[in-house]
Amino acid sequence: MTGQANEEAQGQSHGDQGHQTGAGQDCRKGRIYPQGDGEEYGHGRGGGGRKGKDQDKVEGRALRADAVFEGGGVRGIAFAGAVSAFEEAGYEWHFLAGTSAGAIVAALLAAGYKAAELRQLLDETDFRRLATRTGVERVPLLGPLTSLCSHFGIHSAANLESWLADLLAARGVKTFGDLAVPSQAVQAGLRHRLQVVASDVTNRRMLLLPRDAESLGFDPDRLSVALAVRMSISIPLFYKPVRIWVSGKEVLVVDGGLLSNFPVWIFDEPGRPRWPAFGFRLIDPPPARKLGRGPLALYRYMVALVETSMEGRAKHDLAQRDWVRTVDIPTHGIRATNFGLDKDQKLVLYNSGRQAALAFLKNWDFQRYVELYGPGGAASAKAPAS
């Protein structure tokens, strides 16, 4: 299918049938201990709260940084708590990326939303509205099985896409063209402030959108941000995959976490980094899933396989240089697909993200990070498993 036809499809209602379109000693607990003020980069001790931040305030400069958010389903409100601490420390985001729930947070930040606004809108949102079933799909047992067989997923993400599209439009963002950067600001070959991670299961490859939009028949600048995020959050089996027709061939796109749930390396470039790229990920494994017996046992088993694939890989395949720049946020056993989150659970997640970020910033030192992991740095060991 041509890019033009795909673009026309984006302006229409998206139905469930698819879119026709030596650091080891320093980093065990406190990660990188403050050593030097890093004034050359505007990133001093602690990233905020001490000399580095005070220096920036005097000179009127913000602390620039990139951010990559891991997938995590409805637990994404924890990222809002973490972002609030970074904002208070004086950080402003340059490039942003995310997978699944992390893509939602990254998109909203790229559009100009602040942490306080994220907290309010996520706190007021009934997540059950973002995972819908219609018609026969509502029939107990028969409905989900029918939907799995015919659409490869139980719930529609159409409401989620519309919800996000409205929020982005309120800030003047509809397509990735609205988030393009000047040519001199291109970083790691990427010319849009936002990158969304998705998985092309038809061709078995990771997609970075809008960078890889043309492989789906889209013009990168005209690809809908909300549609890209819908691709990224389409948790296999739980959500129906996004179906796209490319040159007469159907392509199924699902949650980016299937292939890369935490690509903290996206914005890295050769040489000395100009500013830090922080990662935000959710830790604590979900509680053990009881598979049981009966007709739904197979479905529970399939979901367990997906969860293991998406969550297990990111927790272990993390290099030391990435681990020390990552904020680990406990989730207190809350499941990624618990769409019935109440306000108390949301508050627990938000506070967890905020406290984790405050603890991280207390010991973060960008200058020390560059010395250890920049060109010629000696640190290259693997991080201990989470």
Side-chain angles (χ1 to χ4, degrees), residues 123-167:
D123 190 53
E124 294 176 349
T125 298
D126 181 355
F127 293 129
R128 290 170 295 188
R129 293 178 46 248
L130 307 182
T132 57
R133 285 188 277 177
T134 59
V136 70
E137 297 169 356
R138 296 176 178 174
V139 178
L141 187 58
L142 177 62
L145 290 176
T146 300
S147 187
L148 278 173
C149 292
S150 58
H151 303 302
F152 306 143
I154 294 177
H155 300 87
S156 168
N159 281 0
L160 190 152
E161 182 183 353
S162 297
W163 168 79
L164 181 61
D166 290 343
L167 292 173

Side-chain angles (χ1 to χ4, degrees), residues 12-64:
Q12 303 169 358
S13 173
H14 299 309
D16 293 335
Q17 296 302 315
H19 298 260
Q20 299 295 316
T21 62
Q25 302 93 321
D26 291 344
C27 303
R28 289 185 61 85
K29 292 184 180 180
R31 297 174 187 264
I32 296 179
Y33 292 111
Q35 298 182 35
D37 297 323
E39 293 175 2
E40 176 184 355
Y41 291 87
H43 294 272
R45 183 175 303 164
R50 294 187 177 85
K51 186 174 180 180
K53 181 183 175 185
D54 294 341
Q55 179 73 15
D56 275 4
K57 277 189 172 182
V58 171
E59 298 180 4
R61 292 184 287 115
L63 296 167
R64 177 174 285 188

Side-chain angles (χ1 to χ4, degrees), residues 19 39 54 57 77 86 92 141 157 163 168 216 219 268 295-296 311 322-323 332-333 354 357:
H19 298 260
E39 293 175 2
D54 294 341
K57 277 189 172 182
I77 193 172
F86 275 78
E92 292 184 357
L141 187 58
W163 168 79
L168 295 174
L216 299 177
D219 178 332
D268 290 348
L296 290 180
E311 299 189 22
D322 296 330
W323 181 68
H332 303 284
R354 180 172 173 78

Side-chain angles (χ1 to χ4, degrees), residues 197-200 204-208 211-212 256 259-260 263 265-266:
V197 184
S199 299
D200 175 352
R204 298 173 179 82
R205 61 176 178 171
M206 185 187 86
L207 295 173
L208 198 58
R211 185 196 69 181
D212 300 325
L259 295 179
S260 185
W265 41 264
I266 282 180

Side-chain angles (χ1 to χ4, degrees), residues 367-382:
Q367 184 68 23
R368 180 62 174 161
Y369 176 84
V370 172
E371 292 172 359
L372 290 172
Y373 301 101
S380 60
K382 291 282 287 186

Side-chain angles (χ1 to χ4, degrees), residues 11 13 22 137 163 171 242 324 329 361:
S13 173
E137 297 169 356
W163 168 79
R171 297 300 169 91
V242 176
V324 299
I329 304 172
L361 287 168

